[in-house]
Amino acid sequence: MKRVAALALALTLAAPAAAQNANPPAASSLTVGTLLEQCTGEAAGAREACATFILKALQANREAAEPAFCPTPGTVLGDARARFIVWATVHAEFHASPAAAGVAAALAEAFPCPLTQSG
């Protein structure tokens, strides 16, 4: 859980440009529900904003000392986006939560890392 929290914080701080399309809220105030709407929406730029946000999550996780999730080799952005959409749809109780935390939780559930001693 520490890994997910650390990644969520990193995303909140590093993703202000993640959603410049479709006039989304600032990354720090973006919620799971709003990101889900972008990921599934038809508005111009919405899906691109979603993809940018999730791409930044993948990049931040890759650069983290202890990654929150471990995508399998060959995992592409579309896979991560689809996993987030499914997770966010099933977990409506988190729609008001920060998007960074939701993406981290969704991807940690979809792509768990092997347990470590510092875990």
Side-chain angles (χ1 to χ4, degrees), residues 13 16 27 30 32 35-37 41 44 47-48 50 59 76-77 82 98 103 106 113 117 119:
L13 297 174
L30 189 66
V32 168
L35 184 60
L36 177 61
E37 289 174 10
R47 290 192 183 187
E48 290 82 2
C50 164
Q59 291 170 337
V76 295
L77 178 59
V103 169
C113 292
Q117 299 230 354

Side-chain angles (χ1 to χ4, degrees), residues 40-68:
T40 59
E42 297 296 327
R47 290 192 183 187
E48 290 82 2
C50 164
T52 300
F53 194 91
I54 292 174
L55 179 61
K56 287 194 180 289
L58 292 167
Q59 291 170 337
N61 184 70
R62 195 171 19 255
E63 296 168 2
E66 289 189 41

Side-chain angles (χ1 to χ4, degrees), residues 3-119:
R3 293 177 184 182
V4 173
L7 181 62
L9 177 60
L11 284 171
T12 301
L13 297 174
Q20 291 180 352
N21 298 318
N23 299 320
S28 61
S29 65
L30 189 66
T31 65
V32 168
T34 302
L35 184 60
L36 177 61
E37 289 174 10
Q38 289 178 350
C39 291
T40 59
E42 297 296 327
R47 290 192 183 187
E48 290 82 2
C50 164
T52 300
F53 194 91
I54 292 174
L55 179 61
K56 287 194 180 289
L58 292 167
Q59 291 170 337
N61 184 70
R62 195 171 19 255
E63 296 168 2
E66 289 189 41
F69 49 89
C70 296
T72 55
T75 299
V76 295
L77 178 59
D79 297 334
R81 180 182 159 272
R83 299 293 184 111
F84 169 75
I85 290 170
V86 169
W87 182 90
T89 300
V90 169
H91 294 286
E93 69 273 20
F94 293 112
H95 283 192
S97 299
V103 169
L107 298 182
E109 185 178 295
F111 307 110
C113 292
L115 294 177
T116 64
Q117 299 230 354
S118 64

